[in-house]
Amino acid sequence: MKKRQLESLLQDVEPFSRPKMDLEQYPTDPHLAASVLFTIQSSFGDIEDRNVLDLGAGCGILSIGCVLMGAGSVTSVEIDNDAISDLVDNISGYDMDDISIVQADVTHLPFRSGRLFDTVIMNPPFGTKNNEGIDIEFIEAAL
């Protein structure tokens, strides 16, 4: 899939219906999402046929993009009920069943040991809303 085609398909992902600033829920632009995912695949081959984990999945733009690029499976982890509702709505708009949703705090993943993923993607919070260090916790969870 070409980057422009992916970006075009991701235009239909709806942003947060009820964004929470304390969770740093900002929409990921389709151009940025397509660029990141295209680079991950074209440079490293780390999406197609891979088991992908999306930490802090939000509305699901990265998860959906991975499925569109041929991921073997995608697990989306999100803590917020409203974001999960948005994620479910977005997935249904694409008629996908390749995404598993796990409601969890990234710092306490239920499958921390024993379950392996080939690739971890995220657009994490940066710790600017009284949650200093959360970006490092996301990175540590990915390792």
Side-chain angles (χ1 to χ4, degrees), residues 3 33-47 69:
K3 185 171 83 167
S35 295
V36 167
L37 296 175
F38 186 80
T39 299
I40 292 169
Q41 178 56 36
S42 63
S43 296
F44 306 103
D46 282 340
I47 294 178
M69 293 193 68

Side-chain angles (χ1 to χ4, degrees), residues 69-90:
M69 293 193 68
S73 70
V74 176
T75 301
S76 303
V77 176
E78 177 56 51
I79 194 170
D80 180 53
N81 285 327
D82 293 331
I84 288 173
S85 179
D86 294 335
L87 173 58
V88 169
D89 289 346
N90 279 323

Side-chain angles (χ1 to χ4, degrees), residues 40-138:
I40 292 169
Q41 178 56 36
S42 63
S43 296
F44 306 103
D46 282 340
I47 294 178
E48 188 175 356
D49 298 323
R50 303 291 182 151
N51 297 319
V52 178
L53 176 64
D54 184 359
L55 297 177
C59 302
I61 195 164
L62 295 177
S63 295
I64 291 167
C66 285
V67 172
L68 292 171
M69 293 193 68
S73 70
V74 176
T75 301
S76 303
V77 176
E78 177 56 51
I79 194 170
D80 180 53
N81 285 327
D82 293 331
I84 288 173
S85 179
D86 294 335
L87 173 58
V88 169
D89 289 346
N90 279 323
I91 292 169
S92 69
Y94 285 86
D95 194 29
M96 299 181 161
D97 59 3
D98 305 280
I99 299 176
S100 300
I101 300 170
V102 176
Q103 183 170 16
D105 183 329
V106 167
T107 64
H108 298 93
L109 294 174
F111 42 77
R112 184 83 181 166
S113 61
R115 182 153 182 197
L116 299 175
F117 297 93
D118 302 308
T119 304
V120 180
I121 58 172
M122 66 180 104
N123 185 2
F126 295 104
T128 63
K129 303 294 181 192
N130 297 319
N131 55 355
E132 186 175 339
I134 192 68
D135 51 343
I136 301 303
E137 292 186 43
F138 267 71

